[in-house]
Amino acid sequence: PHQKVERGPYNNPNIGSSEFSSDAKAAYTHALCWALTNENNHAAKAAEIVDAWSEKLNSIGNHDARLLVGMSGFHFCIAAEFLKHTWDQWPKANQRKFESTLREIYYPLIKGFYPSANGNWDASMLQTMMAMGVFLDDKIMFDRAKDYFLSGKGNGAIGNYFKESGQCQETGRDQGHTQMGLDFLANTCETAWIQGIDLYGALDNRLLKGFEYTAKYNLGFEVLYEP
């Protein structure tokens, strides 16, 4: 872990940014393996990673700081959620330290989203903010993400990211970012679904239309495209 992480445009400069992302995925994967196999070593490793970052991290900065928290904070949150509810060996003090990291470092960065950026930025922050709201049992935080998904002013809101045809705000940019945005918004919807809230069906299943449109295009079918 790093005390001060920086991610510049397109991850340049990269000061602890790649380590933050890699460790987030590792913590999530170990937590998932723990849930699937009941092998204690996986839970212990997930907790070790989460705790190490909670103990050392003081700040995340530079141009892509919000994007980094959006992309990778989600994995840390899901790992912690697994541990909190299924592994009785994660000390309460360590849980509280992670809670402080979420409130004091993650949330201030993503609270205002990034309305002027390409929509995958907002989408990434939506998935993390909603996961944070669940872990912290913070309904205000959860609802902030839910409301922005439904009617936010930025490009990541469901009605702004997709046209009625399913064309994505980033379709004409490249397919990597388009599919990344789909992923982040699907994660947001799934987190809400687990909490009993249906965001999948928003705007006549607009997210599904985005998946279908993108799949058709990438499989070589003709799709309606508006420049």
Side-chain angles (χ1 to χ4, degrees):
H2 288 242
Q3 190 174 49
K4 296 182 179 180
V5 170
E6 290 190 34
R7 177 182 164 116
Y10 299 99
N11 208 19
N12 183 26
N14 175 358
I15 303 173
S17 169
S18 291
E19 289 88 343
F20 184 82
S21 294
S22 295
D23 281 356
K25 291 176 183 176
Y28 166 76
T29 304
H30 277 294
L32 186 61
C33 287
W34 151 248
L36 293 171
T37 68
N38 206 35
E39 293 183 10
N40 192 69
N41 285 344
H42 285 300
K45 178 56 70 174
E48 178 188 337
I49 296 169
V50 172
D51 290 345
W53 279 95
S54 297
E55 182 64 32
K56 188 160 188 177
L57 183 65
N58 284 338
S59 66
I60 301 175
N62 217 307
H63 182 271
D64 283 13
R66 284 172 285 192
L67 182 62
L68 179 62
V69 171
M71 291 191 300
S72 298
F74 177 76
H75 292 110
F76 274 121
C77 287
I78 301 304
E81 186 77 6
F82 271 123
L83 295 171
K84 179 180 179 180
H85 295 288
T86 68
W87 194 57
D88 60 8
Q89 297 178 52
W90 194 24
K92 294 293 184 182
N94 295 20
Q95 295 182 36
R96 289 192 292 271
K97 184 68 175 176
F98 181 67
E99 291 173 2
S100 296
T101 299
L102 297 184
R103 291 193 183 279
E104 296 171 13
I105 299 176
Y106 289 14
Y107 192 55
L109 282 169
I110 66 174
K111 183 178 180 180
F113 297 98
Y114 195 175
S116 61
N118 285 300
N120 74 83
W121 284 63
D122 277 352
S124 74
M125 289 180 263
L126 280 168
Q127 67 171 2
T128 294
M129 187 181 297
M130 186 163 282
M132 286 169 55
V134 172
F135 182 83
L136 296 167
D137 293 318
D138 189 327
K139 189 174 186 300
I140 293 175
M141 189 181 293
F142 180 92
D143 285 346
R144 186 178 185 87
K146 180 194 69 176
D147 294 344
Y148 196 94
F149 175 92
L150 292 171
S151 57
K153 63 181 180 179
N155 289 314
I158 192 68
N160 297 333
Y161 204 59
F162 302 106
K163 296 179 179 293
E164 289 186 22
S165 65
Q167 179 183 327
C168 176
Q169 182 256 331
E170 299 186 89
T171 294
R173 181 187 183 191
D174 61 63
Q175 295 307 297
H177 284 92
T178 298
Q179 293 180 75
M180 191 162 64
L182 285 163
D183 175 31
F184 298 154
L185 292 175
N187 288 337
T188 303
C189 289
E190 186 63 18
T191 301
W193 180 266
I194 294 169
Q195 300 301 311
I197 297 171
D198 179 15
L199 296 182
Y200 283 115
L203 299 183
D204 192 25
N205 299 307
R206 187 68 61 88
L207 180 63
L208 175 61
K209 292 179 180 178
F211 270 97
E212 290 178 333
Y213 180 103
T214 304
K216 286 178 180 178
Y217 174 76
N218 281 284
L219 289 168
F221 292 91
E222 290 291 325
V223 292
L224 176 67
Y225 178 72
E226 299 176 55

